[in-house]
Amino acid sequence: ATPLYVSLVELIGKAEKGKKITALTDGMNNMGGSPQEIVRAANDKNIQISFIGLDLPRGAELELAEIATKTNGKVYLSK
């Protein structure tokens, strides 16, 4: 089980305003949370979210790109 979104929201809650977070992921979130929840939490604290994606499925790549774009972050892909 991968609680990617829940973990990111929890981390954002603990982070200082204006920080940057980069997550290494396979893009598989299967334990709740939503991209919108991450974006809202990150933008409230001016936190930039970026991802290093490892062999991401297309749907996950698009979802992570949406989060990164809306928080002024980036997505780096590794295949």
Side-chain angles (χ1 to χ4, degrees), residues 16-30:
E16 294 176 29
K17 287 186 176 187
K19 292 291 183 179
K20 296 179 181 182
I21 295 173
T22 301
L24 177 66
T25 182
D26 64 2
M28 294 297 180
N29 176 68
N30 55 17

Side-chain angles (χ1 to χ4, degrees), residues 2-79:
T2 307
L4 176 62
Y5 295 163
V6 172
S7 297
L8 279 172
V9 170
E10 185 177 315
L11 181 59
I12 291 165
K14 294 177 181 180
E16 294 176 29
K17 287 186 176 187
K19 292 291 183 179
K20 296 179 181 182
I21 295 173
T22 301
L24 177 66
T25 182
D26 64 2
M28 294 297 180
N29 176 68
N30 55 17
M31 293 215 35
S34 71
Q36 296 80 13
E37 189 177 5
I38 295 168
V39 169
R40 186 172 37 256
N43 286 338
D44 284 349
K45 292 181 84 175
N46 194 30
I47 292 176
Q48 187 181 85
I49 308 291
S50 294
F51 298 96
I52 300 171
L54 302 174
D55 200 23
L56 297 177
R58 183 71 180 143
E61 184 179 325
L62 295 173
E63 213 164 73
L64 296 180
E66 177 185 351
I67 295 167
T69 299
K70 290 182 176 179
T71 62
N72 296 313
K74 297 187 184 306
V75 175
Y76 304 94
L77 301 176
S78 176
K79 303 254 178 197

